[in-house]
C-alpha cells in the first residue's frame, strides 16, 4: 500500500521554481491589515470551537463586517446542529455574472487554542483577497465563504459548514467555475529537515525544507485546477509546489474542498501542508508569533494575481 501511495504522488504535476521574486516586490498586500485580521480572529474571550458559540459569533460578526465594506452583498448562512445555530458567512462580488468562483476558509478551531495558522491565516487571506478583488472588473462572480464546523467532531459530516454550502449550490443548480480552499497558509520554516510527508521518499522530489506553498488537486479539479497551478507558479513570489493525487493519500482532502469534490465541483486546496510541517497544529503553540507574515503575504499576492488572470 505504501508503494501505491508513492506511485500516486509520482504522477504529481509541477515542480517548484528554484528562483522566486523578493518579498519586498509585493505591491498590493497590506501586512497591517492581515495582522489586524489575525488579532481579531484569534483574540476571543474563549477559543472559537463548536462549544463556544459566543466566540464563534464574535468572529463571524467581524468577518461579515469586513466583507460588507467591500462586497456587493453579504449575509449569514445559518443552520442548526444539536439545537445550536452555527453560521457560514458569504460575501459576493460581481453578482451580475451567473458562473461563480468560491473562495473559502474555515474560521473555527479544534480544542482550546488560538488557531493562528489553523485557520485564522486562511480567513485573513480570504478577507484580503476580498478587499483587493472587489476593486477589479472580473468576468465571473466570486463568493467569499467563511465556514464554521470544519474541525472535529464535525469533520467529514453533513454538519460541516462547507457541506451546507456545497449542498446548497448543488440543490439549486448554481454553476460553479471552481472552488479555492485556503487551509493553513501562514507557517514556514527555512531549516533543512523542517518538512515531512506522508511518504518519506517524497522529500527527494519536493525537498525537506518547509519554505513553499502547495496547490493540491485530485481528478475532479480539472482545467480549473490546472489553471490555478500554472498561474500560481508563474507569479513566483514564493516557491510553489503542486501535486495531484487520490483520497488514499493521507491529508489530501483534509479541509473544506472535500465537500465540493463530493458534489463533483472542481476544487483545489492552497496549503502549507498543515501538520506535515507545523508541529504547533492543534496545540496552544499555534499563535500569531509563530507565523511568517512575509511568506503569507506572498501567497496572498500570488493568489490575487492568479484569480485576476483566470479565464
Amino acid at each position: 500500500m505504501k508503494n501505491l501511495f508513492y506511485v500516486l504522488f509520482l504522477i504529481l504535476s509541477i515542480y517548484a521554481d528554484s528562483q522566486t521574486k523578493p518579498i519586498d516586490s509585493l505591491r498590493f498586500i497590506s501586512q497591517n491589515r492581515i495582522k489586524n485580521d489575525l488579532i481579531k480572529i484569534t483574540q476571543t474571550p474563549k477559543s472559537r470551537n463548536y462549544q463556544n458559540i459566543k466566540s464563534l459569533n464574535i468572529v463571524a460578526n467581524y468577518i461579515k463586517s469586513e466583507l460588507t465594506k467591500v462586497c456587493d452583498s453579504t449575509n449569514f448562512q445559518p443552520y442548526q446542529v444539536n439545537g445550536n445555530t452555527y453560521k457560514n458567512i458569504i460575501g459576493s462580488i460581481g453578482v451580475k455574472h451567473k458562473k461563480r468562483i468560491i473562495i473559502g476558509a474555515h474560521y473555527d478551531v479544534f480544542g482550546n487554542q488560538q488557531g493562528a495558522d489553523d485557520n485564522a491565516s486562511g480567513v485573513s487571506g480570504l478577507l484580503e483577497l476580498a478587499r483587493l478583488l472587489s476593486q477589479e472588473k472580473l468576468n465571473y462572480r466570486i463568493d467569499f465563504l467563511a465556514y464554521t464546523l470544519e474541525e472535529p467532531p464535525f469533520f467529514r459530516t453533513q454538519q460541516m459548514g462547507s457541506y451546507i454550502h456545497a449542498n446548497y449550490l448543488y440543490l439549486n443548480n448554481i454553476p460553479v467555475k471552481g472552488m479555492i480552499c485556503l487551509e493553513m497558509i501562514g507557517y514556514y520554516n527555512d531549516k533543512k529537515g523542517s518538512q515531512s510527508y506522508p511518504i518519506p521518499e517524497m522529500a527527494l522530489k519536493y525537498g525537506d525544507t518547509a519554505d513553499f506553498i502547495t496547490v493540491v488537486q485530485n481528478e475532479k479539479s480539472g482545467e480549473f485546477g490546472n489553471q490555478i497551478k500554472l498561474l500560481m507558479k508563474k507569479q513566483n513570489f514564493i516557491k510553489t509546489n503542486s501535486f495531484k493525487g487520490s483520497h488514499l493519500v493521507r491529508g489530501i482532502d483534509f479541509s473544506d474542498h472535500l465537500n465540493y469534490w463530493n458534489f463533483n465541483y472542481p476544487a483545489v486546496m492552497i496549503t502549507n501542508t498543515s501538520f506535515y510541517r507545523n508541529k504547533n497544529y492543534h496545540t496552544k503553540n499555534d499563535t500569531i508569533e509563530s507565523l511568517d507574515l512575509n511568506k503569507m503575504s506572498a501567497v496572498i499576492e500570488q493568489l490575487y494575481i492568479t484569480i485576476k488572470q483566470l479565464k
Side-chain angles (χ1 to χ4, degrees):
M1 186 63 72
K2 179 178 177 181
N3 288 336
L4 172 60
F5 288 171
Y6 187 44
V7 169
L8 287 169
F9 270 96
L10 286 179
I11 65 172
L12 311 180
S13 48
I14 292 186
Y15 297 96
D17 289 328
S18 58
Q19 300 294 322
T20 56
K21 300 173 185 175
I23 295 294
D24 60 11
S25 66
L26 300 182
R27 294 177 292 160
F28 305 106
I29 305 303
S30 167
Q31 282 197 18
N32 287 334
R33 286 196 301 253
I34 291 170
K35 189 167 186 180
N36 183 64
D37 290 335
L38 288 168
I39 292 169
K40 292 289 188 180
I41 295 165
T42 60
Q43 306 303 309
T44 51
K46 294 183 178 180
S47 298
R48 58 190 193 281
N49 62 51
Y50 77 98
Q51 295 175 310
N52 296 327
I53 297 174
K54 182 177 179 180
S55 291
L56 284 174
N57 286 338
I58 289 171
V59 175
N61 289 335
Y62 174 74
I63 294 169
K64 186 174 186 289
S65 69
E66 290 301 297
L67 290 176
T68 298
K69 293 174 184 178
V70 297
C71 289
D72 300 329
S73 66
T74 314
N75 56 77
F76 290 124
Q77 184 181 39
Y79 62 99
Q80 296 288 312
V81 178
N82 298 330
N84 296 315
T85 299
Y86 296 93
K87 302 172 185 176
N88 293 333
I89 307 98
I90 308 174
S92 302
I93 61 174
V95 294
K96 65 181 180 181
H97 300 292
K98 253 191 172 181
K99 205 163 195 179
R100 65 187 74 187
I101 291 172
I102 311 300
I103 304 176
H106 74 89
Y107 66 92
D108 61 315
V109 298
F110 176 77
N112 294 310
Q113 41 112 3
Q114 289 186 15
D117 194 26
D118 184 18
N119 186 34
S121 66
V123 178
S124 297
L126 178 83
L127 293 176
E128 188 67 2
L129 286 172
R131 295 173 185 123
L132 296 171
L133 289 168
S134 66
Q135 302 174 45
E136 303 293 335
K137 291 185 178 180
L138 305 173
N139 294 320
Y140 37 79
R141 170 175 172 153
I142 298 182
D143 287 349
F144 301 95
L145 264 293
Y147 309 110
T148 190
L149 301 191
E150 187 268 357
E151 297 285 3
F154 300 103
F155 185 65
R156 294 198 190 282
T157 73
Q158 294 184 8
Q159 283 75 50
M160 288 179 72
S162 52
Y163 178 91
I164 297 295
H165 183 255
N167 186 49
Y168 164 80
L169 296 174
Y170 176 77
L171 292 177
N172 289 277
N173 296 311
I174 294 173
V176 176
K177 180 177 178 67
M179 185 269 183
I180 300 169
C181 174
L182 306 182
E183 177 63 59
M184 300 180 65
I185 62 171
Y187 182 88
Y188 303 87
N189 192 322
D190 291 328
K191 294 181 179 179
K192 287 190 67 63
S194 55
Q195 180 69 48
S196 62
Y197 299 94
I199 304 160
E201 292 84 353
M202 288 176 62
L204 298 174
K205 244 187 185 321
Y206 297 100
D208 66 353
T209 304
D211 59 352
F212 59 86
I213 194 69
T214 314
V215 182
V216 178
Q217 303 181 69
N218 76 351
E219 72 281 358
K220 296 179 181 178
S221 302
E223 182 56 31
F224 177 79
N226 288 333
Q227 285 187 56
I228 297 292
K229 170 185 68 177
L230 293 172
L231 289 169
M232 281 286 285
K233 283 181 61 70
K234 179 181 176 182
Q235 311 316 320
N236 206 25
F237 288 109
I238 184 171
K239 190 187 299 182
T240 302
N241 284 340
S242 172
F243 60 80
K244 189 173 186 177
S246 85
H247 67 281
L248 295 175
V249 180
R250 184 171 183 261
I252 196 170
D253 61 355
F254 277 17
S255 193
D256 293 295
H257 59 301
L258 161 72
N259 289 308
Y260 296 85
W261 283 349
N262 286 342
F263 284 99
N264 293 314
Y265 292 118
V268 300
M269 174 172 60
I270 308 298
T271 181
N272 60 20
T273 75
S274 183
F275 50 82
Y276 287 115
R277 81 167 52 156
N278 190 348
K279 305 313 176 188
N280 302 321
Y281 175 77
H282 284 185
T283 76
K284 292 185 177 180
N285 295 322
D286 185 7
T287 62
I288 295 174
E289 291 74 23
S290 70
L291 304 187
D292 186 329
L293 294 188
N294 286 329
K295 286 187 171 66
M296 181 176 162
S297 297
V299 172
I300 300 169
E301 179 108 348
Q302 283 199 171
L303 273 168
Y304 167 55
I305 298 172
T306 290
I307 294 164
K308 283 204 305 180
Q309 294 181 355
L310 277 175
K311 296 181 179 178

